[in-house]
Amino acid sequence: MTQSKTAIEKLLEGTHRKDRETPKLSVEGAYSFPHCPKHLKGEHRKIWGEVNKAMTQYKLITTADKPLLEQYCFLLAKLRGDSDGFTASLHAQLRGLASDLCLTPESRAKAKLEQKDPDQLMIDKYGL
């Protein structure tokens, strides 16, 4: 019995048929912005919603980022509530969290630059 060809071999030979391949699971549309924790109230919840509205289109913030986003909401609410008592250290923390969450234009540009195109991924993976 002969061994079946790999998908790469079929692509290279031109014999790949989509109608005969098993369907692959698609992750398209699977993204969802993390839900706001119940303990966030008032201004904190409002900030979470603002970030959700602004960042859902980029699909960068996931459930793994939830603790960072909570910290960001607390710090930004503190800045909005008492800007005179907001120290340089707190500004640095807020800026760092914003950068980690890709909330700044610079960090979003870097996130997009790091993504490889599908052709390059195939070359890296299979050495084509």
Side-chain angles (χ1 to χ4, degrees), residues 4-5 14 23 29 40 43 56 58 66 83 99 112 117 126:
S4 63
K5 296 177 185 175
L40 292 184
E43 184 68 17
T56 297
Y58 299 110
K66 213 170 181 178
S83 60
S99 181
K112 292 196 183 298
D117 64 283
Y126 297 108

PDB file of all heavy atoms in Angstrom, residues 4-5 14 23 29 40 43 56 58 66 83 99 112 117 126:
ATOM      1  N   SER A   4      -0.017   8.026   1.507  1.00  0.00           N
ATOM      2  CA  SER A   4      -0.674   9.177   0.880  1.00  0.00           C
ATOM      3  C   SER A   4       0.257  10.383   0.890  1.00  0.00           C
ATOM      4  O   SER A   4       1.136  10.516   1.732  1.00  0.00           O
ATOM      5  CB  SER A   4      -1.980   9.506   1.601  1.00  0.00           C
ATOM      6  OG  SER A   4      -1.715   9.881   2.926  1.00  0.00           O
ATOM      7  N   LYS A   5       0.044  11.247  -0.066  1.00  0.00           N
ATOM      8  CA  LYS A   5       0.871  12.441  -0.205  1.00  0.00           C
ATOM      9  C   LYS A   5       0.463  13.483   0.824  1.00  0.00           C
ATOM     10  O   LYS A   5      -0.701  13.563   1.219  1.00  0.00           O
ATOM     11  CB  LYS A   5       0.702  13.037  -1.604  1.00  0.00           C
ATOM     12  CG  LYS A   5       1.181  12.135  -2.700  1.00  0.00           C
ATOM     13  CD  LYS A   5       0.925  12.762  -4.043  1.00  0.00           C
ATOM     14  CE  LYS A   5       1.299  11.804  -5.159  1.00  0.00           C
ATOM     15  NZ  LYS A   5       0.950  12.352  -6.458  1.00  0.00           N
ATOM     16  N   GLY A  14       0.303  20.127  -8.046  1.00  0.00           N
ATOM     17  CA  GLY A  14      -0.912  20.652  -8.665  1.00  0.00           C
ATOM     18  C   GLY A  14      -2.089  19.707  -8.593  1.00  0.00           C
ATOM     19  O   GLY A  14      -3.045  19.837  -9.355  1.00  0.00           O
ATOM     20  N   PRO A  23     -12.403  19.267   5.912  1.00  0.00           N
ATOM     21  CA  PRO A  23     -12.505  20.693   6.241  1.00  0.00           C
ATOM     22  C   PRO A  23     -11.675  21.028   7.479  1.00  0.00           C
ATOM     23  O   PRO A  23     -11.637  20.274   8.437  1.00  0.00           O
ATOM     24  CB  PRO A  23     -13.993  20.901   6.502  1.00  0.00           C
ATOM     25  CG  PRO A  23     -14.540  19.557   6.772  1.00  0.00           C
ATOM     26  CD  PRO A  23     -13.646  18.569   6.092  1.00  0.00           C
ATOM     27  N   GLY A  29     -13.628  34.816  13.011  1.00  0.00           N
ATOM     28  CA  GLY A  29     -14.839  35.138  13.732  1.00  0.00           C
ATOM     29  C   GLY A  29     -14.837  34.620  15.163  1.00  0.00           C
ATOM     30  O   GLY A  29     -15.786  34.834  15.899  1.00  0.00           O
ATOM     31  N   LEU A  40     -15.812  45.529  38.522  1.00  0.00           N
ATOM     32  CA  LEU A  40     -15.559  46.876  38.003  1.00  0.00           C
ATOM     33  C   LEU A  40     -16.878  47.638  37.923  1.00  0.00           C
ATOM     34  O   LEU A  40     -17.838  47.160  37.336  1.00  0.00           O
ATOM     35  CB  LEU A  40     -14.901  46.822  36.624  1.00  0.00           C
ATOM     36  CG  LEU A  40     -13.474  46.294  36.549  1.00  0.00           C
ATOM     37  CD1 LEU A  40     -12.953  46.401  35.128  1.00  0.00           C
ATOM     38  CD2 LEU A  40     -12.552  47.012  37.497  1.00  0.00           C
ATOM     39  N   GLU A  43     -16.790  54.431  36.701  1.00  0.00           N
ATOM     40  CA  GLU A  43     -15.795  54.939  35.748  1.00  0.00           C
ATOM     41  C   GLU A  43     -14.915  53.814  35.193  1.00  0.00           C
ATOM     42  O   GLU A  43     -14.549  53.829  34.020  1.00  0.00           O
ATOM     43  CB  GLU A  43     -14.930  56.010  36.420  1.00  0.00           C
ATOM     44  CG  GLU A  43     -13.928  56.679  35.502  1.00  0.00           C
ATOM     45  CD  GLU A  43     -14.564  57.552  34.422  1.00  0.00           C
ATOM     46  OE1 GLU A  43     -15.749  57.925  34.546  1.00  0.00           O
ATOM     47  OE2 GLU A  43     -13.863  57.863  33.446  1.00  0.00           O
ATOM     48  N   THR A  56     -11.663  46.534  19.469  1.00  0.00           N
ATOM     49  CA  THR A  56     -12.220  45.289  18.928  1.00  0.00           C
ATOM     50  C   THR A  56     -11.837  45.098  17.463  1.00  0.00           C
ATOM     51  O   THR A  56     -11.565  43.982  17.030  1.00  0.00           O
ATOM     52  CB  THR A  56     -13.752  45.262  19.099  1.00  0.00           C
ATOM     53  OG1 THR A  56     -14.032  45.286  20.499  1.00  0.00           O
ATOM     54  CG2 THR A  56     -14.348  44.018  18.497  1.00  0.00           C
ATOM     55  N   TYR A  58      -9.118  45.675  16.017  1.00  0.00           N
ATOM     56  CA  TYR A  58      -7.741  45.192  15.848  1.00  0.00           C
ATOM     57  C   TYR A  58      -7.557  43.744  16.286  1.00  0.00           C
ATOM     58  O   TYR A  58      -6.588  43.105  15.926  1.00  0.00           O
ATOM     59  CB  TYR A  58      -6.768  46.082  16.626  1.00  0.00           C
ATOM     60  CG  TYR A  58      -6.776  47.510  16.152  1.00  0.00           C
ATOM     61  CD1 TYR A  58      -7.311  48.522  16.940  1.00  0.00           C
ATOM     62  CD2 TYR A  58      -6.246  47.855  14.919  1.00  0.00           C
ATOM     63  CE1 TYR A  58      -7.320  49.839  16.500  1.00  0.00           C
ATOM     64  CE2 TYR A  58      -6.257  49.163  14.476  1.00  0.00           C
ATOM     65  CZ  TYR A  58      -6.797  50.144  15.273  1.00  0.00           C
ATOM     66  OH  TYR A  58      -6.811  51.429  14.841  1.00  0.00           O
ATOM     67  N   LYS A  66      -6.584  40.361  30.374  1.00  0.00           N
ATOM     68  CA  LYS A  66      -7.586  40.896  31.292  1.00  0.00           C
ATOM     69  C   LYS A  66      -6.977  41.572  32.531  1.00  0.00           C
ATOM     70  O   LYS A  66      -7.392  42.676  32.877  1.00  0.00           O
ATOM     71  CB  LYS A  66      -8.530  39.772  31.706  1.00  0.00           C
ATOM     72  CG  LYS A  66      -9.933  40.190  31.955  1.00  0.00           C
ATOM     73  CD  LYS A  66     -10.819  38.964  32.118  1.00  0.00           C
ATOM     74  CE  LYS A  66     -12.245  39.398  32.346  1.00  0.00           C
ATOM     75  NZ  LYS A  66     -13.145  38.260  32.468  1.00  0.00           N
ATOM     76  N   SER A  83      -6.238  64.396  38.731  1.00  0.00           N
ATOM     77  CA  SER A  83      -5.051  64.574  37.891  1.00  0.00           C
ATOM     78  C   SER A  83      -3.905  65.252  38.645  1.00  0.00           C
ATOM     79  O   SER A  83      -2.745  65.030  38.327  1.00  0.00           O
ATOM     80  CB  SER A  83      -5.396  65.365  36.635  1.00  0.00           C
ATOM     81  OG  SER A  83      -5.901  66.637  36.979  1.00  0.00           O
ATOM     82  N   SER A  99       0.993  50.657  26.301  1.00  0.00           N
ATOM     83  CA  SER A  99       1.867  50.086  25.280  1.00  0.00           C
ATOM     84  C   SER A  99       1.727  48.559  25.232  1.00  0.00           C
ATOM     85  O   SER A  99       1.648  47.966  24.155  1.00  0.00           O
ATOM     86  CB  SER A  99       3.315  50.475  25.568  1.00  0.00           C
ATOM     87  OG  SER A  99       4.169  49.960  24.587  1.00  0.00           O
ATOM     88  N   LYS A 112       1.610  45.097  14.113  1.00  0.00           N
ATOM     89  CA  LYS A 112       1.298  44.738  12.738  1.00  0.00           C
ATOM     90  C   LYS A 112       2.564  44.386  11.952  1.00  0.00           C
ATOM     91  O   LYS A 112       2.531  43.529  11.097  1.00  0.00           O
ATOM     92  CB  LYS A 112       0.548  45.868  12.056  1.00  0.00           C
ATOM     93  CG  LYS A 112      -0.843  46.055  12.633  1.00  0.00           C
ATOM     94  CD  LYS A 112      -1.698  46.866  11.738  1.00  0.00           C
ATOM     95  CE  LYS A 112      -3.051  47.120  12.318  1.00  0.00           C
ATOM     96  NZ  LYS A 112      -3.860  45.960  12.562  1.00  0.00           N
ATOM     97  N   ASP A 117       3.551  37.366   6.538  1.00  0.00           N
ATOM     98  CA  ASP A 117       2.530  37.011   5.552  1.00  0.00           C
ATOM     99  C   ASP A 117       2.473  35.493   5.407  1.00  0.00           C
ATOM    100  O   ASP A 117       3.431  34.795   5.708  1.00  0.00           O
ATOM    101  CB  ASP A 117       2.814  37.706   4.212  1.00  0.00           C
ATOM    102  CG  ASP A 117       4.099  37.241   3.587  1.00  0.00           C
ATOM    103  OD1 ASP A 117       5.162  37.684   4.059  1.00  0.00           O
ATOM    104  OD2 ASP A 117       4.045  36.442   2.633  1.00  0.00           O
ATOM    105  N   TYR A 126       8.069  24.911   5.965  1.00  0.00           N
ATOM    106  CA  TYR A 126       8.361  23.762   5.093  1.00  0.00           C
ATOM    107  C   TYR A 126       9.628  23.934   4.237  1.00  0.00           C
ATOM    108  O   TYR A 126       9.995  23.049   3.500  1.00  0.00           O
ATOM    109  CB  TYR A 126       7.174  23.507   4.170  1.00  0.00           C
ATOM    110  CG  TYR A 126       5.932  23.133   4.931  1.00  0.00           C
ATOM    111  CD1 TYR A 126       4.880  24.025   5.043  1.00  0.00           C
ATOM    112  CD2 TYR A 126       5.827  21.898   5.553  1.00  0.00           C
ATOM    113  CE1 TYR A 126       3.734  23.682   5.746  1.00  0.00           C
ATOM    114  CE2 TYR A 126       4.696  21.563   6.263  1.00  0.00           C
ATOM    115  CZ  TYR A 126       3.656  22.450   6.354  1.00  0.00           C
ATOM    116  OH  TYR A 126       2.542  22.123   7.052  1.00  0.00           O
TER     117      TYR A 126
END
